[in-house]
Amino acid sequence: MFDNIMRVRNYRYFWWCMGSIVVAVGVFATQTSSNEPANGGTWQGLVLGVWAALLIVWLTLLGVRKRSYRFRLGTVQDWTSLHVYLGVGVLVVATLHAGLQFGWNVHTLAYVLMFAVIISGVVGLFTYLSYPRRIADNQQGQNRSQLFGELYELNQQGIKTARSCGPEVQTAAISGIQRTAIGGGVLSQLFARDLSRFETLDGVQQPNPHQAPLIDLVSKRIPRADKHDEVTALQDLLVILCRRQAVIERLRKDIRLQGWLQAWLYVHVPLTAATLTAVVVHILVTFIYW
Amino acid sequence: MGKTTGFIDFERNSAPYRDAGARMLDFREIYTEHDVSQLTDQGARCMDCGVPFCQADDGCPIHNLIPEWNDLVYRDRWRDALDRLHKTNNFPEFTGRVCPAPCEGSCCLAVIEPAVTIKNIECAIVDRGFEENWIKANPPLQRTGKKVAVVGSGPAGLSAAARAAELDRANESTIPSYVLLESHSAHAKTIQRYQVGKHVMAEPGYLTLRSDCEFQAGTREAVLDQWLADIDRGQVNIRNDAEVTRISGSKGAFSLALKNGDELEAENVVLAIGLEGSPRKIGTPGEDLPLVQYHLEDPKAFRDEVIVVIGAGDSAIENVLGLAASKNHVYIINRREEFSRAKEGNLALILAAISDPAVAVDCLYGSNVNSVIETPDADEPLAISLNTLEGEVTIACHRVIARLGGVPPRRFVEGAGVSFPNERPDAIPELSRTYETDVAGIYIIGSLAGYPLIKQAMNQGYDVIEYINGNDVEPADYPLLHNQFHCLPFEREPRDVLDLFQRRIPFFSRLNALTFRELILESNVVVTYRAGELLDAAVQQCETLDASLADLPQIPRSAKVIAAGEYLYREGEYASSFFTIVEGEVVLETQGQADVQLSRGRFFGEGSLISGRPRQESARAEGTCILVETPRRIMVKLFNSNEDVRQGVDWIFIVRELKRHFAPDATFDELREVSSQVVLRSFNAGEVLFEAGDIGDSLHIVRRGSVSLQRGVGDRAATVVELRSGQLVGEMALMGDSNRRERAIATVATETIELKRPEFLALMRLNAGNLDGLQNLVSRKLVKTTQMETRPESGGILDFLLSEGLGEATDTLIIDEQLCIGCNNCERACAETHDGLSRLDRAAGKSFANIHVPIACRHCEHPHCMKDCPPDAIHRAPGGQVFIDDTCIGCGNCEVNCPYDAIRMSYPAAEKPSLLRWMLFGHGPGPGEPDAYDGMKNDPEVQQKGKRAVKCDACVNEASGPACVRACPTGAARRIAPEQFIELLG
Ligand code: HEM
Ligand code: HEM
């Protein structure tokens, strides 16, 4: 419906980035005439180095811009779009600055860290571009709190219905409902790990991934029930458990997708800090040992 | 019965008429003189029946003791007969002559013989009484001597009574000349019912209080205590528990009937009963028992009781849920078999409570109350008997709470003879400058008179007593007029200026002086001068005035001076004020072309006033002008109290609309005929203007609201186009195709001008040239609708948007779900730019086809929230943004009125800590973190001030535009104007 980060204003920022790359390559190309191999120490190298450093500082400033709610120049979307393009562009500029010379030193450390930031950025961009749609498809118009609300309702109904079933099903179903785990630690959230359990009559806890074992247990009980009342109760319970299962799956998927949308930033931002430090060290070092 | 055989012995012999010839010559009695001996015989004919039908229901309507005085006449005991007659009849001298005598018609003797001559006898008795001087005037032993009865002891009534008490003291009279009647057991019922600790505001700050009672902003308790102290100090003659049920009589001799049967007399009546009305009673025996109550202040006050709640509306349901939550056993008595009047949320809650066995709520559907009685059982002292679907049921209980809604005071007021201008529910009776109604001697003040603010009401109470006592005081707001008239090109007393204005504007000349004064008080007086010395001097004068007013707690309206030739408003601007020209000339321009020139007495701006859309034209003042700019709110109030003004504005609206669409070159006079033929129609949301397949012979011009056209039938029906005010609906019917192709539905409350074929043809004749333009427009629309029909998915989206209220929206926040990463930066941006409180709820709200409409203000064409804001704190900026200013008093009306839940009541947010404090000590919310106003809830100062309404203002004050949209990193959030809908349809 609306333009995404890449397409903003008819790819305006893509062209800006291409422009700056072309200029950088142009500057780099003037180096070949001299006998000194291309490196960060020539005047071209220095220009490119400063240019790369400024770019990195500006890229970092996105974090500030995002929180300056009264800032007038461009929307955050404009900034992010340019950030994404120049973020990749800086790779070219920095590479040209280094003259493709790498070694086991602090200079290359800065470069590698920057590279990592960029990779994480690309991963993040990928999630930004593709996950929202998946989240929306998964939610089907119900937001997370509504889904939880529905689950709560189903839980209440489930517990009530389970009370009129035999002791085995009753214990299993009620404990199964109470011990359903959604979310949890970072890893559980990101990989939608299911730590749900339920208890059998003898008090043993069984894993209950995807609620399937519990549903299985209830469904097996149905043909073996002896009272008519219990059969209806069991069937009702089965319906409720299956509906629960669907809701829980949707919730888990929602949490997983939303988690990834944020998780990459926890790599991107600290690495940015590291990169900045390394770059500062690199600059100091080159000036001291030159 | 003196003579047992009288009816056998004597024939009926009624008194004969005098000779007709003689009667023609005078105006005297038509009967001959009474013949006493004959009358005693006639009296003897009475049989003294066991059941005297003559005096029963189908006989004498006032139940005269007929057999008794018949007998007394027969025995010649005339004096006694007269006493018996006067026992039931104050005016036998009239009824003895002109009564049609149903007594004789029902006389038992009449079954076999002519009836007893009862009427003659009655007449004779009373005539004899006058002859003998037995009848004497019988004046009341003690007159109440009340000059004024004040009904209702809210701020207005209380202030009136206090003034009357003060005047009595000045006159050194010891018996109060007035009485203050209150239906409740304490003063100021409405404020007593506020929730405990609620803050009462004293708006508007610039109005001075003139009353013998004191008042300043504070808690409900402080205000009520103050007034109680005022009542004591002023020894105000207040009578509590005195509900007036009827007012009769006329100036000088009104009689007020009280609930307990008492009658009071007063020369004048001041009605200050507010708008709330009295609660509707159960209407069965026992309805007034002390444990039968009609409101519930605090459900937590009761515990472990059996309580019967009668009613099925929201307040009944809320009471039931509250009572059940504090461990009471509650029965809810519903007259119907479902809860059809309740809000959806309440409906779900009550149904859940009824069906949940763990909650002690039982519902009796289809049930009516028979009676409520007190029982000797100390434990459950009431027994309520009900007619239920299963027969009669009696429930023993502790108390009965009836929530059956209120009886609006209108009927009571009408009962006193006061008339209302129209049938609208918000009609206000027309009042004179002294608050007198069309019944001389009955005065109305306070919110019932259309003045909802406490200070206004108190001032009116003071003034009305002065008026009644013949002191023509200037109202307390007189100085405000001074300010407004400050920069006029001439200097006069405000009173004279008002007079002059009213004479100059024919349209307003028939308003009464009070209404006109109020209109000016609430309006801006705009003065234009040609550039030069005069202008500079006026601007200077204005600035000095403004500077002197700047120190007041709230700045009152002052004069407004602009240079001639400047624009009053421009095309496309959002504004809905109404202008009248007192002096000078104004030019209206459309698309840069001067269109109409208006002169003194004319008015303009009615288009936006009615449609709620931006201005269709620009208005420019020429030369020196004096203009009155009246806000929409005041015009609407005027419409409700004055039919002439409403019709006048409606008429001009129609004429200008017809001219714009069909006959740009026609003159007003040419259009007069046609415009009187068209009809104004109004439709509720969801109502159908016409169905597909109908044969049409009219077109509609949408005047306000919006209409959607649907094609297809049943499930496949899809909206193909949405039309707003100023657009045509169904014009094809008059342009060749009389078969309606679409079904037209009002998406929100809508008004249209309906134009039938003859009027249409008449218009076309006036202006043949424009047919071309109209035809082009129709062709374009046809293409659009047909294209839409072939893309049903777009129709689905349009339907969704309309159901979300976008039919009346001017600016809506829309989120593209395919882009939204759920970071909530929009909410944070909103909070950061708006005192720490976000005005939008991103995650809430509905979605369809990846379009999400979050809960946020739609900036409606006719904002629902603006409808009844007592301090007039909600405004619309020229750009269309609807916002709330600092004068909000936290009443919550707007929150209730908003159909989109976009307004919430909130305490102010906690102050943000400085960045350093946040980083080093972890104080409070950091930059960009969501609001933490919970922290402030317990702050006593904040609590004292109370909650305020907060809503989106579309960032009117942010030069860079809406913060939510600008802060979205992925561009998912956008604000959409109606013209951009089409972009959403994909
Ligand atoms: C003000 C900015 C900068 C200055 C003045 C600067 C200066 C230099 C100089 C003088 C050299 C040559 C050192 C040598 O040949 O021994 C160099 C090399 C290098 N610089 Fe920078 N630089 C800057 C920014 C950056 C940035 C932002 C990066 C990337 C993150 C970077 C990465 C490198 C790398 C990878 C080398 C090659 C190291 C090697 O030869 O092994 N520089 N820089
Ligand atoms: C050296 C290069 C880069 C640096 C220093 C950098 C730095 C940052 C910083 C500081 C933020 C702000 C995070 C926050 O405050 O929430 C950010 C956000 C972001 N960066 Fe980068 N970044 C770089 C490269 C990239 C690249 C190459 C991409 C993508 C191809 C990218 C995509 C993003 C995105 C999508 C955001 C999130 C914006 C938002 O959610 O508001 N970045 N980056």
Side-chain angles (χ1 to χ4, degrees):
Chain A
M1 188 167 57
F2 303 151
D3 288 342
N4 66 23
I5 312 182
M6 312 305 290
R7 283 206 310 247
V8 179
R9 302 186 202 277
N10 254 330
Y11 296 98
R12 176 198 286 177
Y13 302 112
F14 170 74
W15 293 114
W16 285 23
C17 174
M18 288 315 276
S20 84
I21 289 179
V22 166
V23 172
V25 172
V27 170
F28 180 79
T30 59
Q31 276 185 110
T32 48
S33 55
S34 78
N35 358 351
E36 202 182 348
N39 74 62
T42 62
W43 72 262
Q44 292 94 339
L46 282 178
V47 168
L48 290 170
V50 172
W51 179 223
L54 289 178
L55 277 178
I56 291 177
V57 171
W58 181 83
L59 288 165
T60 312
L61 285 178
L62 176 65
V64 178
R65 166 64 186 95
K66 215 175 130 183
R67 290 167 185 81
S68 314
Y69 299 105
R70 290 199 157 86
F71 197 84
R72 300 227 189 136
L73 187 67
T75 65
V76 176
Q77 192 197 17
D78 288 321
W79 274 63
T80 314
S81 180
L82 187 56
H83 175 96
V84 163
Y85 285 116
L86 289 185
V88 179
V90 75
L91 187 62
V92 179
V93 179
T95 312
L96 294 179
H97 157 71
L100 290 160
Q101 299 186 26
F102 301 104
W104 293 104
N105 52 29
V106 69
H107 321 304
T108 309
L109 174 67
Y111 185 88
V112 170
L113 284 171
M114 181 192 76
F115 195 78
V117 173
I118 293 171
I119 295 298
S120 67
V122 173
V123 171
L125 179 66
F126 169 76
T127 62
Y128 274 26
L129 291 180
S130 59
Y131 280 25
R133 157 177 259 145
R134 292 176 62 187
I135 291 173
D137 289 349
N138 179 52
Q139 285 185 341
Q140 292 170 10
Q142 266 179 308
N143 62 33
R144 194 185 289 179
S145 61
Q146 282 165 335
L147 283 172
F148 270 117
E150 191 180 337
L151 179 61
Y152 175 79
E153 280 295 309
L154 288 169
N155 287 349
Q156 299 300 330
Q157 285 177 27
I159 291 175
K160 216 155 104 188
T161 321
R163 293 235 161 85
S164 28
C165 300
E168 188 197 353
V169 169
Q170 190 172 336
T171 337
I174 295 180
S175 64
I177 288 173
Q178 283 163 349
R179 288 173 197 282
T180 299
I182 298 173
V186 177
L187 291 181
S188 308
Q189 290 193 26
L190 290 181
F191 297 100
R193 270 199 311 200
D194 189 350
L195 300 177
S196 303
R197 308 185 148 265
F198 72 95
E199 229 168 77
T200 52
L201 251 190
D202 40 16
V204 182
Q205 294 212 356
Q206 303 269 352
N208 188 16
H210 305 289
Q211 305 291 313
L214 179 59
I215 289 175
D216 210 37
L217 185 142
V218 174
S219 67
K220 287 216 176 96
R221 198 56 221 140
I222 296 178
R224 294 174 181 78
D226 17 59
K227 278 188 250 114
H228 174 71
D229 279 359
E230 198 185 349
V231 176
T232 30
L234 282 169
Q235 270 176 336
D236 288 350
L237 185 60
L238 189 65
V239 173
I240 293 169
L241 289 179
C242 288
R243 280 177 55 201
R244 264 188 93 239
Q245 184 185 34
V247 173
I248 292 169
E249 289 307 301
R250 272 167 66 194
L251 271 168
R252 233 180 238 123
K253 188 165 174 191
D254 189 56
I255 291 169
R256 176 167 63 87
L257 295 172
Q258 300 259 21
W260 281 109
L261 270 180
Q262 289 163 19
W264 70 275
L265 269 175
Y266 288 93
V267 176
H268 196 67
V269 177
L271 278 180
T272 299
T275 308
L276 272 182
T277 326
V279 167
V280 171
V281 171
H282 158 68
I283 294 168
L284 291 179
V285 165
T286 46
F287 276 113
I288 293 167
Y289 293 98
W290 202 3
Chain B
M1 177 174 157
K3 189 166 170 74
T4 326
T5 55
F7 66 96
I8 303 170
D9 298 350
F10 308 113
E11 294 275 297
R12 173 182 167 111
N13 202 345
S14 56
Y17 290 145
R18 283 164 57 214
D19 173 50
R23 259 156 55 205
M24 271 167 58
L25 305 176
D26 59 40
F27 291 106
R28 293 210 205 96
E29 184 59 81
I30 61 171
Y31 292 105
T32 52
E33 303 260 302
H34 301 298
D35 176 342
V36 174
S37 70
Q38 190 191 316
L39 280 167
T40 46
D41 290 350
Q42 291 298 317
R45 291 185 76 231
C46 177
M47 306 186 294
D48 197 11
C49 309
V51 180
F53 287 103
C54 52
Q55 86 179 58
D57 274 351
D58 21 338
C60 180
I62 52 171
H63 308 305
N64 281 343
L65 307 168
I66 295 166
E68 289 188 35
W69 36 260
N70 275 343
D71 183 49
L72 289 167
V73 166
Y74 167 71
R75 290 169 202 278
D76 211 16
R77 284 163 58 187
W78 289 88
R79 176 83 210 232
D80 295 336
L82 182 65
D83 286 347
R84 288 320 273 168
L85 180 54
H86 271 151
K87 188 108 190 146
T88 54
N89 189 343
N90 283 340
F91 297 112
E93 58 273 34
F94 298 122
T95 55
R97 292 193 162 79
V98 297
C99 177
C103 50
E104 292 186 16
S106 51
C107 177
C108 287
L109 186 54
V111 177
I112 47 162
E113 297 220 6
V116 180
T117 56
I118 304 173
K119 187 169 154 186
N120 285 163
I121 295 175
E122 178 180 342
C123 190
I125 297 173
V126 67
D127 285 354
R128 177 77 175 267
F130 279 112
E131 249 165 51
E132 305 272 353
N133 243 345
W134 291 332
I135 300 176
K136 293 212 171 65
N138 194 6
L141 288 180
Q142 193 196 343
R143 286 206 177 266
T144 58
K146 294 288 180 262
K147 195 161 184 178
V148 190
V150 183
V151 186
S153 71
L158 193 58
S159 174
R163 178 76 273 201
E166 204 52 48
L167 290 182
D168 279 354
R169 233 183 316 278
N171 296 335
E172 294 177 5
S173 81
T174 46
I175 305 166
S177 67
Y178 65 94
V179 60
L180 174 59
L181 300 168
E182 168 58 54
S183 64
H184 193 54
S185 57
H187 62 294
K189 179 172 69 176
T190 308
I191 297 178
Q192 298 272 6
R193 298 234 173 113
Y194 280 4
Q195 95 203 29
V196 176
K198 184 178 161 94
H199 186 72
V200 181
M201 304 287 288
E203 300 299 325
Y206 52 75
L207 186 62
T208 41
L209 178 70
R210 181 159 70 187
S211 169
D212 298 291
C213 295
E214 279 170 40
F215 171 61
Q216 62 205 27
T219 59
R220 153 190 176 274
E221 288 73 20
V223 170
L224 288 172
D225 287 350
Q226 175 61 50
W227 286 342
L228 202 59
D230 291 331
I231 293 177
D232 275 354
R233 184 172 42 85
Q235 291 167 357
V236 174
N237 178 28
I238 180 170
R239 226 176 119 171
N240 287 334
D241 294 316
E243 183 178 341
V244 179
T245 54
R246 186 176 37 80
I247 297 173
S248 51
S250 57
K251 189 176 171 82
F254 284 106
S255 158
L256 292 83
L258 300 191
K259 186 74 190 266
N260 65 2
D262 283 5
E263 291 261 347
L264 280 174
E265 285 172 17
E267 291 169 26
N268 299 288
V269 176
V270 174
L271 291 177
I273 52 180
L275 280 174
E276 207 174 68
S278 48
R280 186 164 279 131
K281 296 284 180 78
I282 308 177
T284 62
E287 60 175 12
D288 289 321
L289 288 177
L291 285 173
V292 175
Q293 55 194 57
Y294 292 92
H295 57 96
L296 175 65
E297 256 139 67
D298 182 11
K300 285 199 232 48
F302 309 114
R303 203 161 228 284
D304 298 324
E305 290 195 352
V306 178
I307 300 176
V308 177
V309 176
I310 306 170
D314 286 307
S315 44
I317 294 176
E318 279 155 22
N319 286 176
V320 168
L321 296 170
L323 289 166
S326 52
K327 298 253 179 316
N328 296 289
H329 184 178
V330 195
Y331 290 89
I332 175 164
I333 313 299
N334 185 348
R335 199 155 50 86
R336 296 166 202 275
E337 276 158 55
E338 61 208 10
F339 289 90
S340 47
R341 278 184 298 130
K343 276 194 242 145
E344 221 162 285
N346 277 335
L347 181 68
L349 290 173
I350 189 74
L351 293 181
I354 293 171
S355 60
D356 188 342
V359 181
V361 173
D362 293 303
C363 181
L364 295 171
Y365 289 102
S367 304
N368 289 305
V369 181
N370 273 340
S371 66
V372 187
I373 49 168
E374 277 175 321
T375 60
D377 185 350
D379 211 31
E380 282 166 356
L382 284 186
I384 178 167
S385 141
L386 304 160
N387 270 335
T388 70
L389 294 175
E390 275 106 51
E392 203 174 308
V393 170
T394 303
I395 302 172
C397 57
H398 291 93
R399 65 186 70 247
V400 171
I401 299 175
R403 301 309 304 266
L404 302 166
V407 191
R410 173 165 177 163
R411 249 191 286 149
F412 170 70
V413 177
E414 281 177 329
V418 177
S419 52
F420 283 69
N422 54 47
E423 279 310 311
R424 283 165 219 275
D426 41 8
I428 298 165
E430 198 170 327
L431 303 176
S432 75
R433 196 172 56 83
T434 58
Y435 309 112
E436 197 167 5
T437 62
D438 57 349
V439 177
I442 297 188
Y443 298 77
I444 295 185
I445 54 175
S447 54
L448 184 61
Y451 300 87
L453 297 172
I454 294 180
K455 231 192 293 180
Q456 277 177 332
M458 292 179 76
N459 287 351
Q460 290 175 352
Y462 181 103
D463 293 348
V464 78
I465 294 296
E466 291 289 345
Y467 294 145
I468 291 175
N469 282 288
N471 309 332
D472 196 3
V473 292
E474 286 299 352
D477 43 23
Y478 202 61
L480 299 179
L481 284 173
H482 254 295
N483 296 338
Q484 282 175 295
F485 296 152
H486 196 67
C487 298
L488 290 181
F490 45 80
E491 240 175 86
R492 291 211 200 153
E493 272 302 294
R495 190 190 276 250
D496 300 333
V497 179
L498 278 179
D499 257 14
L500 179 83
F501 275 24
Q502 197 169 6
R503 262 184 286 122
R504 288 271 171 98
I505 312 172
F507 185 53
F508 287 150
S509 61
R510 280 170 55 201
L511 290 186
N512 73 53
L514 178 72
T515 319
F516 185 70
R517 190 162 168 285
E518 150 106 5
L519 180 100
I520 296 294
L521 268 171
E522 298 282 351
S523 301
N524 280 322
V525 176
V526 184
V527 189
T528 65
Y529 289 95
R530 287 213 170 75
E533 251 171 65
L534 270 177
L535 175 67
D536 298 341
V539 170
Q540 181 67 42
Q541 223 179 340
C542 239
E543 278 167 6
T544 333
L545 174 69
D546 284 346
S548 70
L549 298 175
D551 298 338
L552 294 178
Q554 200 183 332
I555 299 169
R557 249 180 254 286
S558 67
K560 211 163 130 183
V561 175
I562 59 174
E566 268 184 46
Y567 283 93
L568 296 159
Y569 58 76
R570 286 172 193 273
E571 208 170 328
E573 227 172 65
Y574 273 96
S576 52
S577 55
F578 179 83
F579 286 85
T580 16
I581 309 175
V582 180
E583 187 64 74
E585 301 212 315
V586 169
V587 177
L588 300 185
E589 303 175 348
T590 32
Q591 278 145 18
Q593 296 290 307
D595 200 15
V596 206
Q597 181 142 8
L598 301 173
S599 54
R600 180 210 273 191
R602 305 291 289 275
F603 54 83
F604 57 97
E606 79 291 336
S608 299
L609 171 76
I610 289 173
S611 70
R613 307 230 62 203
R615 299 284 192 200
Q616 301 281 339
E617 72 283 324
S618 305
R620 197 161 42 82
E622 300 263 280
T624 310
C625 291
I626 304 175
L627 305 161
V628 176
E629 178 186 7
T630 314
R632 173 166 198 274
R633 186 175 57 94
I634 299 304
M635 287 310 290
V636 169
K637 194 166 156 187
L638 187 59
F639 287 164
N640 287 336
S641 65
N642 191 306
E643 207 54 33
D644 286 349
V645 173
R646 175 194 291 278
Q647 280 169 6
V649 174
D650 274 348
W651 181 71
I652 283 292
F653 182 89
I654 293 172
V655 169
R656 290 199 179 138
E657 203 68 351
L658 293 180
K659 192 167 144 79
R660 190 163 72 85
H661 281 289
F662 307 110
D665 303 328
T667 62
F668 271 39
D669 284 332
E670 285 173 324
L671 288 167
R672 188 180 296 276
E673 174 72 25
V674 182
S675 64
S676 63
Q677 307 285 318
V678 304
V679 211
L680 285 180
R681 306 276 311 266
S682 56
F683 302 90
N684 292 329
E687 224 176 299
V688 173
L689 279 71
F690 51 76
E691 289 281 357
D694 283 0
I695 301 294
D697 68 337
S698 68
L699 66 77
H700 295 260
I701 308 171
V702 183
R703 191 167 104 107
R704 61 170 287 186
S706 105
V707 172
S708 64
L709 298 184
Q710 295 186 339
R711 288 204 178 175
V713 279
D715 284 347
R716 306 222 8 260
T719 303
V720 289
V721 75
E722 193 232 346
L723 300 161
R724 296 262 180 136
S725 49
Q727 291 180 303
L728 302 181
V729 179
E731 67 284 358
M732 272 314 289
L734 301 185
M735 302 187 66
D737 182 7
S738 58
N739 250 331
R740 301 281 195 201
R741 301 258 166 211
E742 298 101 359
R743 161 186 201 185
I745 299 188
T747 48
V748 291
T750 298
E751 286 174 16
T752 68
I753 303 171
E754 189 176 11
L755 197 65
K756 292 249 175 348
R757 188 178 302 276
E759 293 91 63
F760 179 72
L761 292 178
L763 282 171
M764 288 297 112
R765 249 177 271 122
L766 278 180
N767 186 267
N770 193 45
L771 197 57
D772 220 26
L774 198 65
Q775 281 161 342
N776 286 342
L777 187 124
V778 171
S779 313
R780 275 202 304 277
K781 203 158 109 187
L782 277 176
V783 173
K784 198 168 134 195
T785 46
T786 318
Q787 276 176 347
M788 279 290 290
E789 197 187 358
T790 56
R791 296 201 321 236
E793 69 287 353
S794 311
I797 295 175
L798 196 53
D799 277 339
F800 165 70
L801 294 176
L802 292 177
S803 76
E804 282 299 294
L806 271 67
E808 57 180 335
T810 66
D811 181 8
T812 320
L813 183 62
I814 299 277
I815 293 181
D816 183 348
E817 286 193 327
Q818 296 184 52
L819 298 182
C820 175
I821 52 166
C823 65
N824 276 346
N825 210 33
C826 44
E827 284 187 21
R828 255 172 254 141
C830 185
E832 288 284 324
T833 45
H834 296 88
D835 306 322
L837 296 175
S838 170
R839 282 97 212 280
L840 73 104
D841 187 343
R842 179 194 58 80
K846 299 220 172 84
S847 312
F848 180 83
N850 286 330
I851 298 176
H852 180 64
V853 186
I855 295 215
C857 179
R858 276 104 161 113
H859 301 274
C860 303
E861 287 181 346
H862 283 293
H864 300 274
C865 51
M866 260 155 116
K867 253 186 303 214
D868 54 8
C869 176
D872 185 25
I874 309 183
H875 311 276
R876 163 157 252 160
Q881 303 92 336
V882 178
F883 62 95
I884 304 179
D885 70 19
D886 304 337
T887 59
C888 170
I889 58 174
C891 68
N893 284 356
C894 52
E895 184 196 23
V896 175
N897 284 340
C898 174
Y900 308 112
D901 287 337
I903 303 184
R904 68 189 168 108
M905 306 303 296
S906 173
Y907 290 110
E911 190 141 337
K912 280 265 164 104
S914 68
L915 194 63
L916 214 63
R917 284 217 315 165
W918 170 67
M919 287 206 309
L920 298 182
F921 309 108
H923 273 294
E929 277 182 28
D931 49 281
Y933 66 90
D934 272 0
M936 295 293 275
K937 232 173 19 195
N938 302 322
D939 184 330
E941 204 176 309
V942 165
Q943 267 204 334
Q944 230 256 316
K945 282 214 197 109
K947 295 186 177 182
R948 291 285 176 282
V950 287
K951 75 175 276 297
C952 163
D953 59 4
C955 294
V956 246
N957 297 321
E958 298 295 328
S960 44
C964 49
V965 170
R966 301 179 51 83
C968 179
T970 60
R974 277 233 241 145
R975 292 197 153 267
I976 297 285
E979 303 82 68
Q980 295 165 305
F981 269 17
I982 205 78
E983 289 177 32
L984 300 181
L985 304 181

